[in-house]
Structures are given as C-alpha cells and as structure tokens.
Amino acid sequence: MSEIKMEVKNLDFYYDDFQALKNINIPLESNKVTALIGPSGCGKSTFLRTLNRMNDLIEGSRVEGEVLFDNENIYKENVDVVELRKRVGMVFQQPNPFPKSIFDNVAYGPRIHGLKDKDKLEEIVIESLKGAALYEEVKDRLDDSALGLSGGQQQRLCIARALAVKPEVLLMDEPASALDPVATAKIEDLIDELKNNYTIVIVTHSMQQAARVSDNTGFFLMGDLVEFDQTDKIFENPSDQRTEDYITGRFG
Amino acid sequence: MENKLTKRKAVEKIVFSILGLLMLSSIAVLGVIIFFIFKRGLGVISWEFLTSMPKNGMTEGGILPAIVGSFYLVSGAILVATPLGVFAAIYMTEYAKKGKLIRIIRIGVNNLAGVPSVVFGLFGLSIFVKYLNFGVSILSGALTLAIVILPTIIRASEEALMSVPDEYRSSSLALGATKWQTIKNVVLPAALPGILTGCILGVGRVAGETAPIIFTAATFFSMRLPNSVFSEVMALPYNIYALVATGTFPQKQIPIAYGTAVVLLVLVLLINLVAIFMRIKFSKKNTN
C-alpha cells in the first residue's frame, strides 16, 4: 500500500435518530482512485460528504469517529472548514456551473480566496481548464455564459472550477450519471489523468465505471461498509457473499 | 354515440365561451378605466401642465410640485425599504433555522401586507411626525411609504432567493467559500432579477398610495418646490383626492384632478412596463 492521504476511523453518522453510517473504516490512498458503490440510500454519498464536512449544513446531523486528513482529525474542534474544503474539492452529480461566464466560474474559487492579480487569475483559469480537458473546446469563448455549454462540458467545467483552488483530494458524487456515454467516457479518461496529481474518491452507481476507473473499491449496504479492497479483488473474487450478489446484479 | 358526442361538444363550447367572456370582462374593466380617465383628463395635459406651478388656489396652472413631490416620496421610500427588505429576506431564507420562529416572522410579514394603508398613515403620524418630530414632511412620508412596501419587497426577495437552486450554494461552499461570500457572489446575483422586479412593482404601488401620506407628508397647495427633506410636498395621488374632496371650485378643479390621474396612471403603467421588460431581459441573460 502506498501513502494514506485520508483515513476514516470508526465513523458513525446520524440524521437525527437515523444512523446512516455505521462504524466505517476506510483508508484513502494518495494518487489513487477509490470508488464507492452500493444501492441507492446505502450511505455512500453521505459518506463522501463527511470527507469535506458538507454534511455540516444539514440540520440535525451528527458525526462520531474520526476522519484523519494528513493525520489530523477534520472533526476536531477549531478546524477551519473553509480551509478544509479548499484542500478537499468536490464535484456534484448534476453539472452545476454558476450563471456566470466560463472564465468567472473557474476564477470563482481563487477570487473568493483573495486572488486579485489578473494575470495570475488567467493563468490559473487556463491551467485548470486544461487540467479538466476542456480548454481546447472553450478557449475562444471564455467570456460566454457557462450555461451555454453541453452537459458534459459543464461537468468538466465544474471539475476545472474545483481544480482552480488547487485541492489535494477530489470528491466526485456520481459525476457522470447525468451524462451521455460519450461525455461519460471523457470524464473517465479525465479521472485517470487526474489521479497523477490528486487523490480521488468517486461515488458511482455504475459498477462498470467503478471497475474501469478505480484502484480500490468500497461496497456500502444500508449504512455498513460491507467490503473494502483492491478493485480487482472486489470484482473478481469478493470475500463477502453480499458483495458478490450485488456485483453480479442479484439486487440493487 | 353520436348524440353523446354532440352534447359533449356543446358543453365544451358553452364552458369556453363563459370563461372567455369572464376573461374579457376583467380586461374590459381596465380598458374602461383607462378610457374614462383619459377621456376626461387628456384635455388638460400639456407641456405647461406638467412643468409649471399651480396658480390661483389650485384652479389653474400645472402640477409640477406634485410630480416632484411624488418622485421624492417614492425614491425615499424605495431607498429605505429595499435594503431593509432584501436583508430581511436574506436572513429569513439563508440564515434563520427553519422552524417556529421563521414561521411566525413570515406570518407577521404577511399580516403587515394586509394592514389597511390608512392605518400606516396614522402610525406614521404618531411615530414620525409627532414622536420623532419630523413634522409633516418628505421624510415622514417616505418612511411611512417604506413600511407600506416593505412586505412586498420582503416577499418578492424571499421568493427570488428561494428560487436560486441549492446546487449553487453547495458548490460555492464546497469551493471553500464562506456563507456570506456565497450569498454575495452567487445567490444574490442569481436572485437579482426577481428582487428588482419586486422593488419596481413596489414603486408602482406606492406611487399611487394616498392614505399613508395624507397625515404625514402631503399638502394641498404649494407655490414652491420642496427644499429639504423636512418640507411638506404635494403628491399626485393626494392632489387628486384633495381636488375632488375639498376643492371649492369643482368646475375648474375636477378637470385638473383628471389630468393628474392621467399622469399618475401613465407613470404607474410605465413603471410596471419597466419591471416586465427587466424580467424578460434578465431571464434571457441567465438562460443562454
């Protein structure tokens, strides 16, 4: 095993009285893609959102256990959530660019973190768009509204927007589920590219996608992490019967 | 079979005719009002009527002070009510926890909208004119009008803010923005068209309000334009009321009242047109 970027230890998560995650333990390796699979409502998205504390926004939610990020618990007191989210970026299921220009979308993060220098901003925007494999398609219309892009382009723009704040970890919540097969293939190629520089965690509904893009896979079922292992092992020789039932399509 | 079909078709026809007729009659009411007011009032409208001072105890001359007065009152009201209303709406939609408190506040706002405007007038008289000693003045009138439109602005802003997709908020926060940065940079710009439209419709409404300014700002006859926020002013709606209700030379003053009504009506319709135009323009800009 290579270096561990984030390590989740004995994590419980509650929505009011409902326990959505039960004693989760997962190591997230640096520069690897970790896929989280499981049927709807199994807790995989909830888990993803505990990694950048987006669940803090939900009233009545509660976390127990630890999430170590470079060996520091992000749930400890006095943790700066803004700083955490800068370092742990997120891409959502629905492509959701702001109703602003392509340039302003990507520049949004650096700007709110205080960068004003125009040349520097432009440099970051171009670099991020290139990083998200979108630059060639939009370089002549950076000032056009982002809402004029196709769904797949919008999603890559959202990835560029996340990259622009230079995160270390990238969380992706079913990033291709709203896209057509061609756009999906582009996103998957991109993920493969991105893992050279980022630690990636991806929630996906598609087992083929998990098999294609990930190094490690975790299978969630009703709030439990049933199995976590190298992706090859999970798909070829799972050790838990429930994992096998799920990946062979017997339920879910 | 065939019999049933003809019957069904007949019923359809009757229902549609009734609905169409009702629709036409409600439009017709507007048409009749506009026609009637214009017919009686258009005659006195002239460049001089719009730009000169009244003469001879408001039996001759123009209504310039009333136009200027209304302008000051409405601008003042909007300047005060917009920040108050928008920030209240931001608090209610973005910061307040959903629960009892916010429901009570919302009921309060809705009730504020239902208070008869003459009651606001009395309130303005006792608080602004008397207690705060602003006197019968532009200041007192504008503040009273601000309270009158406050609920309209709060509700329009609230609706505009709530219609901003939650994804904008979460993706901004996920980029490490604070809540206020998110509101300032993403939520407010996206809600702006709705908020502006609400404010402009508010302007249209207060421009025509009479009761709130009777005791707080308006005067029947003034030879001068106001020179400070503590001046009394003439105002378009009050001018109509005063001419018709208390005028002593009806044959001369009633036509002036109708002329004033034309000016007021055109003004309000123009303001509403601006609101519609802005809504269309903004919604285009946001979708392409």
Side-chain angles (χ1 to χ4, degrees), chain A residues 2-247:
Chain A
S2 65
E3 195 188 326
I4 306 292
K5 188 73 187 166
M6 290 183 98
E7 178 150 31
V8 180
K9 282 186 173 169
N10 307 323
L11 185 81
D12 293 314
F13 185 86
Y14 301 86
Y15 294 111
D16 292 314
D17 295 333
F18 174 71
Q19 186 169 9
L21 294 173
K22 300 167 193 162
N23 195 28
I24 308 294
N25 290 279
I26 292 186
L28 302 168
E29 289 179 80
S30 287
N31 299 99
K32 290 274 165 71
V33 177
T34 303
L36 309 173
I37 59 170
S40 298
C42 66
K44 56 191 191 300
S45 285
T46 300
F47 172 75
L48 194 74
R49 285 157 181 267
T50 59
L51 301 178
N52 66 344
R53 292 188 54 172
M54 281 300 276
N55 284 333
D56 286 14
L57 305 172
I58 301 168
E59 280 171 38
S61 68
R62 189 154 55 83
V63 176
E64 282 164 22
E66 291 187 321
V67 176
L68 301 179
F69 178 30
D70 285 343
N71 295 319
E72 279 222 46
N73 184 11
I74 63 171
Y75 282 99
K76 146 187 113 173
E77 257 180 277
N78 302 329
V79 165
D80 182 359
V81 180
V82 164
E83 187 61 26
L84 169 73
R85 291 186 187 142
K86 240 170 98 175
R87 294 174 63 196
V88 183
M90 189 163 202
V91 176
F92 295 81
Q93 180 172 5
Q94 289 291 332
N96 54 2
F98 300 129
K100 300 174 185 286
S101 74
I102 295 171
F103 186 94
D104 287 343
N105 260 280
V106 184
Y108 181 81
R111 274 186 183 141
I112 56 168
H113 295 301
L115 184 65
K116 292 210 176 71
D117 182 359
K118 263 190 170 173
D119 296 337
K120 199 94 214 290
L121 267 177
E122 199 173 314
E123 192 182 305
I124 291 179
V125 168
I126 291 173
E127 185 188 316
S128 307
L129 285 169
K130 280 181 178 162
L134 186 61
Y135 184 65
E136 289 304 317
E137 290 161 59
V138 299
K139 63 181 175 191
D140 300 322
R141 47 178 174 142
L142 292 179
D143 291 328
D144 288 5
S145 167
L147 302 183
L149 298 173
S150 73
Q153 288 173 326
Q154 289 190 5
Q155 193 61 304
R156 277 178 285 147
L157 180 68
C158 293
I159 294 175
R161 185 175 66 186
L163 297 183
V165 292
K166 305 197 185 301
E168 296 156 47
V169 179
L170 204 53
L171 310 176
M172 301 179 136
D173 190 356
E174 301 193 40
S177 69
L179 305 180
D180 64 63
V182 177
T184 300
K186 279 190 183 161
I187 298 281
E188 289 181 8
D189 290 345
L190 179 59
I191 291 172
D192 215 43
E193 194 69 34
L194 289 173
K195 77 172 182 185
N196 296 321
N197 297 312
Y198 306 92
T199 302
I200 296 176
V201 188
I202 177 171
V203 163
T204 174
H205 235 94
S206 147
M207 282 170 283
Q208 292 90 330
Q209 184 168 68
R212 282 192 300 260
V213 301
S214 70
D215 303 290
N216 297 318
T217 296
F219 170 55
F220 281 79
L221 190 62
M222 295 169 65
D224 283 309
L225 177 65
V226 174
E227 194 169 346
F228 177 80
D229 215 322
Q230 293 183 352
T231 301
D232 298 343
K233 170 90 167 35
I234 292 267
F235 281 92
E236 279 157 26
N237 187 19
S239 43
D240 194 292
Q241 184 62 39
R242 290 170 294 175
T243 314
E244 183 165 346
D245 288 349
Y246 183 71
I247 60 172

Side-chain angles (χ1 to χ4, degrees), chain B residues 70-145:
Chain B
S70 270
F71 174 77
Y72 283 148
L73 285 172
V74 171
S75 317
I78 282 295
L79 279 178
V80 174
T82 303
L84 267 179
V86 172
F87 283 106
I90 291 177
Y91 175 78
M92 284 160 72
T93 54
E94 308 292 326
Y95 282 96
K97 288 213 164 94
K98 285 172 190 67
K100 229 184 197 155
L101 180 68
I102 203 74
R103 269 210 304 281
I104 292 172
I105 296 179
R106 203 158 279 150
I107 291 170
V109 170
N110 286 341
N111 277 315
L112 198 60
V115 172
S117 54
V118 69
V119 175
F120 283 117
L122 277 176
F123 170 80
L125 174 68
S126 66
I127 297 293
F128 302 126
V129 179
K130 301 284 183 208
Y131 182 73
L132 294 174
N133 217 2
F134 294 156
V136 173
S137 63
I138 294 178
L139 185 61
S140 299
L143 289 173
T144 310
L145 287 176

